[in-house]
Amino acid sequence: MDGDTTPDGTTPGEAATPGGTTPDRRPSRKTVLRAALAASVAAPAALIGVPALARTAPDTATDLEPTPQCDDGDDPTPPQMEGPYFKPDSPRRTSLLEPGTPGTRLTVTGYVFGRACRPIPGVLLDFWQADVNGAYDNTGFRFRGHQFTDAQGAFRLTTIVPGLYPGRTRHLHVKAQAPGRPVLTTQLYFPGEPRNNTDALFDPRLLMTVRDAGGAREAAFDFVLDVAQQPGPGPSPTGGPTTPPPGGAWRAGASYAAGDRVTHGGAAYVCLQAHLAQPGWEPPSVPALWRAA
């Protein structure tokens, strides 16, 4: 039985559906933004039906406090416990499939937004899950992998629908870390699962939108990280890479290749995956990218 059947002391979340007797059928700002990002066009404010820049501002306003959450009512994505089966140093990849992998194919797509509903590029997403039989690979890296959101804040994961095991409903694990921000550890769930009603960890706010697709399944989920944002254009991608001094101290803005060695805080580290270093990705903070030498 999986040890993550016991909550880590956090209070169960509230229901995803807001209160009230008359549902608002207007599309949420985030929904319109998501569609606009997928089409690579700007979301017209007239379609949003709510403040276009995540807050209401008179023409004379010049310095307002940022909205503390996405303006369509979404709190930051709630955390959940890591469980006993996380492993650092997962390979960088967007597909967890291997030749002959059994199971129903699953594609998960989505975006990572900040508190003003603007996409965040370069977010580290580390996924892990059970196989079709409900077992985790604790000796290798089957059904484990990390990736980064693209310049539009989008991600895409190709995997299978995970199997069930005692005590838990069907779920995916993920860690999300925006540059320079803390790690969010959480889980994603499937709608319509009978065990959703008996799993003590299940949180309806973490339900993916899932549909059948010709024998496979397609899911969507948008993360909202607790990252303050100002209205205006979304974050720009980090500039071009620079070359770090061989064997020197780790520094943001440097381009590292697998096998490169650096020092940080008096300790030595070796690079596991090629990447462009960003603030918040110091070697002790991102075990998917660095390990102690």
Side-chain angles (χ1 to χ4, degrees):
M1 184 169 178
D2 184 356
D4 63 2
T5 56
T6 301
D8 60 348
T10 57
T11 302
E14 301 172 348
T17 304
T21 58
T22 303
D24 185 352
R25 299 186 180 278
R26 296 176 300 176
S28 70
R29 179 174 187 273
K30 192 175 67 178
T31 299
V32 178
L33 273 171
R34 191 179 195 278
L37 286 168
S40 298
V41 297
L47 296 179
I48 294 173
V50 290
L53 294 178
R55 53 177 154 182
T56 302
D59 293 339
T60 57
T62 58
D63 186 17
L64 298 177
E65 290 296 321
T67 299
Q69 60 188 35
C70 281
D71 66 6
D72 60 357
D74 286 352
D75 289 319
T77 301
Q80 290 213 316
M81 68 181 302
E82 179 181 279
Y85 296 137
F86 172 69
K87 286 184 61 177
D89 306 334
S90 69
R92 181 176 179 177
R93 56 187 178 183
T94 59
S95 175
L96 306 185
L97 300 179
E98 298 176 358
T101 299
T104 301
R105 298 297 186 264
L106 173 69
T107 302
V108 184
T109 59
Y111 293 87
V112 179
F113 295 99
R115 295 192 304 186
C117 283
R118 299 204 172 275
I120 309 175
V123 174
L124 173 63
L125 295 170
D126 198 340
F127 293 95
W128 72 102
Q129 67 171 83
D131 64 15
V132 69
N133 298 314
Y136 289 82
D137 179 9
N138 296 317
T139 59
F141 290 96
R142 291 176 60 248
F143 296 110
R144 300 175 184 272
H146 74 274
Q147 59 179 279
F148 299 90
T149 57
D150 64 16
Q152 302 301 318
F155 71 92
R156 181 184 183 89
L157 175 71
T158 304
T159 182
I160 65 166
V161 176
L164 293 167
Y165 57 93
R168 293 304 315 276
T169 190
R170 214 178 299 274
H171 63 281
L172 304 174
H173 293 269
V174 60
K175 288 180 179 286
Q177 183 179 24
R181 300 295 299 172
V183 177
L184 166 71
T185 301
T186 193
Q187 302 179 35
L188 304 182
Y189 295 99
F190 294 76
E193 290 288 329
R195 293 192 187 181
N196 288 352
N197 297 322
T198 58
D199 189 326
L201 289 179
F202 173 74
D203 188 332
R205 296 174 297 176
L206 296 169
L207 279 170
M208 297 183 289
T209 300
V210 182
R211 69 182 184 93
D212 293 329
R217 305 188 80 184
E218 294 179 346
F221 188 86
D222 294 334
F223 294 91
V224 180
L225 299 184
D226 189 12
V227 175
Q229 296 175 314
Q230 296 290 339
S236 300
T238 305
T242 58
T243 303
W250 180 92
R251 60 189 177 88
S255 180
Y256 292 106
D260 285 349
R261 292 176 176 269
V262 299
T263 59
H264 181 79
Y269 297 87
V270 60
C271 180
L272 300 173
Q273 299 286 339
H275 65 284
L276 179 64
Q278 301 187 43
W281 291 355
E282 291 80 2
S285 303
V286 280
L289 300 179
W290 299 94
R291 66 170 171 80

